[in-house]
PDB file of all heavy atoms in Angstrom:
ATOM      1  N   ASP A  14      -5.577  -1.427  21.256  1.00  0.00           N
ATOM      2  CA  ASP A  14      -6.779  -0.824  21.833  1.00  0.00           C
ATOM      3  C   ASP A  14      -6.524   0.599  22.315  1.00  0.00           C
ATOM      4  O   ASP A  14      -7.322   1.504  22.092  1.00  0.00           O
ATOM      5  CB  ASP A  14      -7.299  -1.682  22.987  1.00  0.00           C
ATOM      6  CG  ASP A  14      -7.762  -3.048  22.516  1.00  0.00           C
ATOM      7  OD1 ASP A  14      -8.170  -3.151  21.342  1.00  0.00           O
ATOM      8  OD2 ASP A  14      -7.707  -4.001  23.313  1.00  0.00           O
ATOM      9  N   LYS A  15      -5.365   0.795  22.948  1.00  0.00           N
ATOM     10  CA  LYS A  15      -4.998   2.127  23.421  1.00  0.00           C
ATOM     11  C   LYS A  15      -4.839   3.085  22.237  1.00  0.00           C
ATOM     12  O   LYS A  15      -5.308   4.223  22.276  1.00  0.00           O
ATOM     13  CB  LYS A  15      -3.692   2.031  24.216  1.00  0.00           C
ATOM     14  CG  LYS A  15      -3.227   3.323  24.828  1.00  0.00           C
ATOM     15  CD  LYS A  15      -1.949   3.084  25.629  1.00  0.00           C
ATOM     16  CE  LYS A  15      -1.387   4.366  26.167  1.00  0.00           C
ATOM     17  NZ  LYS A  15      -0.114   4.146  26.861  1.00  0.00           N
ATOM     18  N   LEU A  16      -4.186   2.598  21.176  1.00  0.00           N
ATOM     19  CA  LEU A  16      -4.009   3.410  19.971  1.00  0.00           C
ATOM     20  C   LEU A  16      -5.345   3.769  19.348  1.00  0.00           C
ATOM     21  O   LEU A  16      -5.579   4.923  18.975  1.00  0.00           O
ATOM     22  CB  LEU A  16      -3.134   2.664  18.958  1.00  0.00           C
ATOM     23  CG  LEU A  16      -2.965   3.334  17.598  1.00  0.00           C
ATOM     24  CD1 LEU A  16      -2.237   4.662  17.743  1.00  0.00           C
ATOM     25  CD2 LEU A  16      -2.222   2.419  16.655  1.00  0.00           C
ATOM     26  N   LEU A  17      -6.250   2.804  19.250  1.00  0.00           N
ATOM     27  CA  LEU A  17      -7.567   3.077  18.663  1.00  0.00           C
ATOM     28  C   LEU A  17      -8.348   4.082  19.492  1.00  0.00           C
ATOM     29  O   LEU A  17      -9.059   4.925  18.940  1.00  0.00           O
ATOM     30  CB  LEU A  17      -8.356   1.778  18.486  1.00  0.00           C
ATOM     31  CG  LEU A  17      -7.851   0.843  17.391  1.00  0.00           C
ATOM     32  CD1 LEU A  17      -8.647  -0.451  17.376  1.00  0.00           C
ATOM     33  CD2 LEU A  17      -7.901   1.518  16.036  1.00  0.00           C
ATOM     34  N   ARG A  18      -8.229   4.019  20.832  1.00  0.00           N
ATOM     35  CA  ARG A  18      -8.915   5.002  21.681  1.00  0.00           C
ATOM     36  C   ARG A  18      -8.373   6.409  21.428  1.00  0.00           C
ATOM     37  O   ARG A  18      -9.115   7.375  21.321  1.00  0.00           O
ATOM     38  CB  ARG A  18      -8.736   4.640  23.151  1.00  0.00           C
ATOM     39  CG  ARG A  18      -9.695   3.584  23.650  1.00  0.00           C
ATOM     40  CD  ARG A  18      -9.750   3.526  25.176  1.00  0.00           C
ATOM     41  NE  ARG A  18      -8.453   3.391  25.808  1.00  0.00           N
ATOM     42  CZ  ARG A  18      -7.822   2.237  26.014  1.00  0.00           C
ATOM     43  NH1 ARG A  18      -8.371   1.116  25.631  1.00  0.00           N
ATOM     44  NH2 ARG A  18      -6.642   2.215  26.602  1.00  0.00           N
ATOM     45  N   LYS A  19      -7.030   6.515  21.296  1.00  0.00           N
ATOM     46  CA  LYS A  19      -6.428   7.822  21.040  1.00  0.00           C
ATOM     47  C   LYS A  19      -6.837   8.357  19.670  1.00  0.00           C
ATOM     48  O   LYS A  19      -7.131   9.540  19.520  1.00  0.00           O
ATOM     49  CB  LYS A  19      -4.903   7.741  21.142  1.00  0.00           C
ATOM     50  CG  LYS A  19      -4.391   7.648  22.547  1.00  0.00           C
ATOM     51  CD  LYS A  19      -2.881   7.648  22.571  1.00  0.00           C
ATOM     52  CE  LYS A  19      -2.349   7.599  23.975  1.00  0.00           C
ATOM     53  NZ  LYS A  19      -0.885   7.671  24.009  1.00  0.00           N
ATOM     54  N   LEU A  20      -6.838   7.484  18.675  1.00  0.00           N
ATOM     55  CA  LEU A  20      -7.228   7.915  17.333  1.00  0.00           C
ATOM     56  C   LEU A  20      -8.692   8.346  17.289  1.00  0.00           C
ATOM     57  O   LEU A  20      -9.049   9.280  16.576  1.00  0.00           O
ATOM     58  CB  LEU A  20      -6.968   6.807  16.314  1.00  0.00           C
ATOM     59  CG  LEU A  20      -5.501   6.522  16.020  1.00  0.00           C
ATOM     60  CD1 LEU A  20      -5.371   5.330  15.080  1.00  0.00           C
ATOM     61  CD2 LEU A  20      -4.803   7.729  15.430  1.00  0.00           C
ATOM     62  N   ALA A  21      -9.533   7.657  18.060  1.00  0.00           N
ATOM     63  CA  ALA A  21     -10.945   8.037  18.100  1.00  0.00           C
ATOM     64  C   ALA A  21     -11.119   9.416  18.738  1.00  0.00           C
ATOM     65  O   ALA A  21     -12.079  10.136  18.429  1.00  0.00           O
ATOM     66  CB  ALA A  21     -11.750   6.993  18.862  1.00  0.00           C
ATOM     67  N   ALA A  22     -10.175   9.783  19.604  1.00  0.00           N
ATOM     68  CA  ALA A  22     -10.257  11.080  20.269  1.00  0.00           C
ATOM     69  C   ALA A  22      -9.792  12.226  19.377  1.00  0.00           C
ATOM     70  O   ALA A  22     -10.091  13.384  19.645  1.00  0.00           O
ATOM     71  CB  ALA A  22      -9.433  11.057  21.553  1.00  0.00           C
ATOM     72  N   LEU A  23      -9.061  11.909  18.321  1.00  0.00           N
ATOM     73  CA  LEU A  23      -8.606  12.971  17.421  1.00  0.00           C
ATOM     74  C   LEU A  23      -9.791  13.604  16.698  1.00  0.00           C
ATOM     75  O   LEU A  23     -10.711  12.908  16.286  1.00  0.00           O
ATOM     76  CB  LEU A  23      -7.650  12.406  16.365  1.00  0.00           C
ATOM     77  CG  LEU A  23      -6.245  12.070  16.796  1.00  0.00           C
ATOM     78  CD1 LEU A  23      -5.503  11.395  15.659  1.00  0.00           C
ATOM     79  CD2 LEU A  23      -5.501  13.313  17.220  1.00  0.00           C
ATOM     80  N   PRO A  24      -9.762  14.890  16.512  1.00  0.00           N
ATOM     81  CA  PRO A  24     -10.841  15.547  15.764  1.00  0.00           C
ATOM     82  C   PRO A  24     -10.858  15.085  14.303  1.00  0.00           C
ATOM     83  O   PRO A  24      -9.876  14.542  13.794  1.00  0.00           O
ATOM     84  CB  PRO A  24     -10.485  17.033  15.832  1.00  0.00           C
ATOM     85  CG  PRO A  24      -9.463  17.152  16.892  1.00  0.00           C
ATOM     86  CD  PRO A  24      -8.813  15.828  17.044  1.00  0.00           C
ATOM     87  N   GLN A  25     -11.960  15.319  13.673  1.00  0.00           N
ATOM     88  CA  GLN A  25     -12.128  14.893  12.280  1.00  0.00           C
ATOM     89  C   GLN A  25     -11.066  15.525  11.371  1.00  0.00           C
ATOM     90  O   GLN A  25     -10.604  14.895  10.426  1.00  0.00           O
ATOM     91  CB  GLN A  25     -13.537  15.266  11.784  1.00  0.00           C
ATOM     92  CG  GLN A  25     -13.885  14.709  10.431  1.00  0.00           C
ATOM     93  CD  GLN A  25     -13.875  13.187  10.398  1.00  0.00           C
ATOM     94  OE1 GLN A  25     -14.070  12.524  11.403  1.00  0.00           O
ATOM     95  NE2 GLN A  25     -13.622  12.628   9.237  1.00  0.00           N
ATOM     96  N   LYS A  26     -10.651  16.721  11.678  1.00  0.00           N
ATOM     97  CA  LYS A  26      -9.635  17.389  10.868  1.00  0.00           C
ATOM     98  C   LYS A  26      -8.328  16.589  10.850  1.00  0.00           C
ATOM     99  O   LYS A  26      -7.688  16.443   9.810  1.00  0.00           O
ATOM    100  CB  LYS A  26      -9.376  18.797  11.414  1.00  0.00           C
ATOM    101  CG  LYS A  26      -8.401  19.605  10.611  1.00  0.00           C
ATOM    102  CD  LYS A  26      -8.293  21.003  11.176  1.00  0.00           C
ATOM    103  CE  LYS A  26      -7.314  21.826  10.352  1.00  0.00           C
ATOM    104  NZ  LYS A  26      -7.112  23.152  10.895  1.00  0.00           N
ATOM    105  N   ALA A  27      -7.950  16.057  12.004  1.00  0.00           N
ATOM    106  CA  ALA A  27      -6.731  15.266  12.088  1.00  0.00           C
ATOM    107  C   ALA A  27      -6.884  13.969  11.304  1.00  0.00           C
ATOM    108  O   ALA A  27      -5.962  13.531  10.613  1.00  0.00           O
ATOM    109  CB  ALA A  27      -6.392  14.979  13.540  1.00  0.00           C
ATOM    110  N   ARG A  28      -8.049  13.356  11.398  1.00  0.00           N
ATOM    111  CA  ARG A  28      -8.302  12.120  10.659  1.00  0.00           C
ATOM    112  C   ARG A  28      -8.202  12.367   9.156  1.00  0.00           C
ATOM    113  O   ARG A  28      -7.726  11.526   8.401  1.00  0.00           O
ATOM    114  CB  ARG A  28      -9.672  11.560  11.011  1.00  0.00           C
ATOM    115  CG  ARG A  28      -9.803  11.185  12.475  1.00  0.00           C
ATOM    116  CD  ARG A  28     -11.259  10.945  12.850  1.00  0.00           C
ATOM    117  NE  ARG A  28     -11.791   9.778  12.208  1.00  0.00           N
ATOM    118  CZ  ARG A  28     -11.630   8.543  12.663  1.00  0.00           C
ATOM    119  NH1 ARG A  28     -10.930   8.345  13.761  1.00  0.00           N
ATOM    120  NH2 ARG A  28     -12.155   7.522  12.033  1.00  0.00           N
ATOM    121  N   GLN A  29      -8.617  13.546   8.724  1.00  0.00           N
ATOM    122  CA  GLN A  29      -8.548  13.884   7.300  1.00  0.00           C
ATOM    123  C   GLN A  29      -7.106  14.106   6.846  1.00  0.00           C
ATOM    124  O   GLN A  29      -6.804  14.006   5.666  1.00  0.00           O
ATOM    125  CB  GLN A  29      -9.389  15.124   7.010  1.00  0.00           C
ATOM    126  CG  GLN A  29     -10.872  14.880   7.158  1.00  0.00           C
ATOM    127  CD  GLN A  29     -11.680  16.169   7.099  1.00  0.00           C
ATOM    128  OE1 GLN A  29     -11.138  17.262   7.098  1.00  0.00           O
ATOM    129  NE2 GLN A  29     -12.995  16.026   7.062  1.00  0.00           N
ATOM    130  N   THR A  30      -6.216  14.419   7.759  1.00  0.00           N
ATOM    131  CA  THR A  30      -4.805  14.606   7.422  1.00  0.00           C
ATOM    132  C   THR A  30      -4.071  13.266   7.370  1.00  0.00           C
ATOM    133  O   THR A  30      -3.234  13.042   6.497  1.00  0.00           O
ATOM    134  CB  THR A  30      -4.124  15.520   8.464  1.00  0.00           C
ATOM    135  OG1 THR A  30      -4.858  16.731   8.559  1.00  0.00           O
ATOM    136  CG2 THR A  30      -2.696  15.820   8.083  1.00  0.00           C
ATOM    137  N   ILE A  31      -4.378  12.369   8.295  1.00  0.00           N
ATOM    138  CA  ILE A  31      -3.687  11.083   8.392  1.00  0.00           C
ATOM    139  C   ILE A  31      -4.182  10.103   7.326  1.00  0.00           C
ATOM    140  O   ILE A  31      -3.390   9.364   6.740  1.00  0.00           O
ATOM    141  CB  ILE A  31      -3.852  10.493   9.807  1.00  0.00           C
ATOM    142  CG1 ILE A  31      -3.227  11.433  10.839  1.00  0.00           C
ATOM    143  CG2 ILE A  31      -3.228   9.105   9.893  1.00  0.00           C
ATOM    144  CD1 ILE A  31      -3.608  11.114  12.275  1.00  0.00           C
TER     145      ILE A  31
END
Side-chain angles (χ1 to χ4, degrees):
D14 295 332
K15 183 178 175 184
L16 175 64
L17 289 176
R18 278 196 307 275
K19 285 183 178 183
L20 290 175
L23 285 174
Q25 188 61 26
K26 183 176 181 183
R28 298 167 67 83
Q29 291 170 352
T30 306
I31 298 167

